[in-house]
Amino acid sequence: MYAQVYRARLASNRATLRISAFVSTTRKYSVPADSPAPTKSKLWNSADDAVKDIKSGDTLLCGGFGLAGIPDTLLGALAKRKGTVKNLTGVSNNAGSGDSGLGKLLNTEQLSKVVASYPGGNKKFETLFLQGAISMELVPQGTLAERIRAHAAGIPAFFTPTGANTAVEEGSIPQRYNEGGLANGIAIPGIPKEAREINGRRYVLEPSIAGDVAFIRAWKVDEVGNCVFRYASQNFSTPMAKNAKLTIVEAENIVPVGSISPNAIHLPGIYVDRIVPATTEKTIEIVTLAQESSVDESLLSPEKAAAQAQRRYIAKRAAKEIKDGYYVNLGIGMPTLVPEFLEKGVRVWLQSENGILGMGPYPTKEQLDADLINAGKETVTLVPGASLFDSSESFAMIRGGHIDVAILGAMEVSQAGDIANFMIPGKMLKGIGGAMDLVSNPEKTKVIVVMEHTAKGGRPKILKQCALPLTGARTVSTIITELAVFDVDRVAGELMLIDLAKGVTVEEVRAKTACDFKVASNLGTW
């Protein structure tokens, strides 16, 4: 081997750049330069053939989020085998919708268990679970993505702050009720987690998830399995494809080897075993369009008009907490109204858990795209400078504290900043979603709760202690309702009233709040 030195002058300052090139004169074991790359095709004639060796009892990883990136071609082929393939464990962010996603296998009764983050969007699944007819392991969304990614990387378990001091750590979320539901007892209890203090923070030990087979849908795939995903359809698909013993991809476009730039490949072909053409049309779960004109509120009932005005009033106050350049995550529901009220000159980067940074407004009919949805499954657009990534990358941003502010709704909040917003045991099951991850690093990510001050019937939602299962312990920094704004001292476990809504008195707030609080000396109003 010898080295040859080159010198070049940089035009900007006439400085000299030294470049050394090392060249070997012999080559004994390397691949010859003119050796062709392997081109053995992984294409299968049909989805029916590709799924023929899936067996009862397998763990199936189903990519997609909402209906974006859902492998319905492969799921449809597996559903045809309902007489021979049963007792499957389905792992997916959601439990499907209607006859899409895991909904197909629910309809054919091929699933005995679902491992998911937000399964409650499927009413059939919610009913089956609450009646004790199916098992469920409810997992925080970021933890689900990381458990899948960990097995793919050969990691058997890992510690995470997500779920510490909650029902996830305690194992108090049942996996299955007895037939008839909660009133008849629990058939399979939850799974308690080992916990450990590391550098002053509490973490829980989460095991990785191993898949027997993964169903993935990709936009463009070459014949050796290199995959490209379109917009937000990547979500769980990349870590799932890397995880399973057998990964089958349904491709919207199958292209020759070499036609995809190496820079564009999201999933290398080493992880893909079989490829079939995608034959099902893409669908949208929640079509949400930009309003071409303001809504005529005179068409709304007085109750709905008042509720809408109240939600907007809360959102307007929450917008004052957002500064120019912030990275912000908005929960579903009321938090999505906040961008409408950002102060002039304030521009932010909106992050969505399903893999978007730089989320834009709702689309027009012409902009509508099934591959562009937010965490609430609503259609969205992108702003210039946006980036897209998979779910494991998204939650690395979140758990790592790279998000400045997270705004969430809640069913209950305690005076110490505990938050409960994901389930009512035995009665309502929506799912944890990304909320536990979003509140897992409150020292770096400010957590703001926006909600009505009381529930139906006037029951206070700000309490000394939460009665419902916690999403996070001592995580909320600010509470904003239609009546008041509180700062939370998470260390001391105390509330400070800092703002009152117009026309509201401190006495009214005290009457509707089920815990003590202090009043700021410079009490404001809005």
Side-chain angles (χ1 to χ4, degrees):
M1 180 177 287
Y2 65 90
Q4 189 166 350
V5 178
Y6 301 88
R7 294 181 183 276
R9 291 195 177 275
L10 303 180
S12 60
N13 58 9
R14 300 186 62 81
T16 299
L17 174 67
R18 177 178 172 133
I19 305 172
S20 297
F22 293 88
V23 182
S24 176
T25 58
T26 61
R27 182 179 63 203
K28 294 182 179 180
Y29 305 110
S30 62
V31 177
D34 59 352
S35 175
T39 57
K40 183 179 179 181
S41 177
K42 298 179 180 179
L43 296 180
W44 284 58
N45 291 328
S46 71
D48 291 345
D49 289 338
V51 305
K52 65 182 180 182
D53 47 3
I54 297 174
K55 60 187 184 301
S56 294
D58 276 352
T59 295
L60 169 65
L61 309 181
C62 178
F65 184 99
L67 298 184
I70 291 294
D72 273 343
T73 302
L74 291 165
L75 289 165
L78 185 56
K80 294 177 185 177
R81 301 185 60 208
K82 61 184 178 180
T84 57
V85 180
K86 300 181 179 181
N87 197 33
L88 295 170
T89 295
V91 181
S92 189
N93 182 66
N94 310 102
S97 176
D99 198 42
S100 184
L102 290 185
K104 284 185 179 292
L105 305 184
L106 282 172
N107 294 338
T108 55
E109 300 182 350
Q110 288 171 274
L111 292 173
S112 61
K113 180 179 180 179
V114 169
V115 181
S117 168
Y118 199 83
N122 186 320
K123 293 295 183 183
K124 180 172 184 175
F125 173 80
E126 184 178 27
T127 299
L128 288 171
F129 174 72
L130 293 175
Q131 292 177 348
I134 194 169
S135 298
M136 173 199 67
E137 185 178 348
L138 193 61
V139 185
Q141 193 176 133
T143 299
L144 181 63
E146 194 65 13
R147 288 177 66 183
I148 294 165
R149 190 205 67 81
H151 178 76
I155 299 170
F158 58 90
F159 281 101
T160 175
T162 302
N165 296 304
T166 73
V168 168
E169 177 184 331
E170 297 163 359
S172 57
I173 303 174
Q175 293 186 78
R176 188 168 187 146
Y177 294 115
N178 285 322
E179 186 175 350
L182 178 61
N184 296 326
I186 294 171
I188 305 175
I191 306 169
K193 303 293 171 62
E194 177 186 338
R196 185 177 300 180
E197 297 286 335
I198 303 174
N199 296 328
R201 294 183 67 194
R202 191 169 182 83
Y203 295 81
V204 295
L205 183 66
E206 291 282 1
S208 63
I209 294 174
D212 295 301
V213 61
F215 284 177
I216 305 300
R217 182 172 178 128
W219 173 51
K220 188 184 294 186
V221 184
D222 68 22
E223 294 180 10
V224 296
N226 294 310
C227 297
V228 180
F229 297 93
R230 186 172 179 274
Y231 291 139
S233 66
Q234 188 173 174
N235 45 67
F236 280 83
S237 295
T238 306
M240 285 183 170
K242 295 176 181 179
N243 175 297
K245 297 174 185 175
L246 172 65
T247 293
I248 311 175
V249 174
E250 61 177 74
E252 295 171 23
N253 301 279
I254 299 173
V255 300
V257 176
S259 61
I260 301 176
S261 167
N263 292 319
I265 293 169
H266 295 126
L267 179 69
I270 190 172
Y271 298 109
V272 176
D273 300 295
R274 300 173 186 177
I275 306 163
V276 301
T279 58
T280 56
E281 294 294 324
K282 291 187 282 191
T283 56
I284 300 173
E285 189 170 356
I286 304 175
V287 175
T288 310
L289 299 176
Q291 295 178 359
E292 296 181 359
S293 59
S294 59
V295 176
D296 185 356
E297 295 192 2
S298 65
L299 301 177
L300 300 175
S301 68
E303 294 79 10
K304 287 186 177 181
Q308 185 179 87
Q310 179 174 286
R311 287 160 59 87
R312 292 171 65 85
Y313 187 72
I314 296 169
K316 185 175 182 179
R317 175 58 183 82
K320 294 182 179 296
E321 302 294 318
I322 307 301
K323 307 302 180 186
D324 188 44
Y326 269 13
Y327 292 93
V328 179
N329 183 288
L330 302 175
I332 61 176
M334 197 189 309
T336 62
L337 301 174
V338 172
E340 297 180 28
F341 302 102
L342 292 176
E343 295 180 355
K344 187 176 181 180
V346 173
R347 298 182 179 182
V348 300
W349 295 100
L350 295 179
Q351 197 258 14
S352 187
E353 298 101 297
N354 57 314
I356 301 175
L357 184 62
M359 188 167 57
Y362 295 129
T364 62
K365 287 183 179 180
E366 293 73 25
Q367 296 173 314
L368 199 64
D369 195 309
D371 291 328
L372 266 179
I373 63 170
N374 63 17
K377 291 94 175 175
E378 299 172 316
T379 46
V380 294
T381 59
L382 302 176
V383 299
S387 56
L388 301 154
F389 31 85
D390 68 36
S391 294
S392 61
E393 181 72 37
S394 180
F395 282 95
M397 296 178 188
I398 290 168
R399 282 191 310 273
H402 303 285
I403 305 299
D404 295 300
V405 173
I407 304 179
L408 304 173
M411 292 185 280
E412 294 178 347
V413 182
S414 81
Q415 66 183 39
D418 302 337
I419 176 175
N421 73 349
F422 73 94
M423 72 179 297
I424 300 174
K427 294 183 180 180
M428 185 194 79
L429 169 74
K430 292 302 179 186
I432 298 170
M436 280 194 182
D437 298 277
L438 286 164
V439 303
S440 68
N441 198 344
E443 298 300 323
K444 293 185 176 180
T445 299
K446 182 177 182 179
V447 178
I448 300 172
V449 164
V450 291
M451 65 179 188
E452 290 83 6
H453 206 94
T454 60
K456 291 181 179 179
R459 180 181 60 83
K461 297 172 67 174
I462 302 175
L463 312 169
K464 186 173 184 179
Q465 290 184 324
C466 293
L468 296 173
L470 295 186
T471 305
R474 294 182 182 261
T475 59
V476 177
S477 292
T478 303
I479 305 168
I480 302 174
T481 76
E482 77 281 11
L483 301 180
V485 180
F486 294 96
D487 275 347
V488 184
D489 185 332
R490 293 182 286 107
V491 176
E494 297 176 345
L495 296 181
M496 175 72 74
L497 178 65
I498 63 168
D499 271 0
L500 284 174
K502 290 181 180 178
V504 175
T505 64
V506 173
E507 289 70 25
E508 181 181 357
V509 175
R510 288 198 189 280
K512 296 180 179 180
T513 305
C515 63
D516 294 331
F517 58 83
K518 298 178 181 179
V519 179
S521 57
N522 57 340
L523 184 63
T525 189
W526 91 97

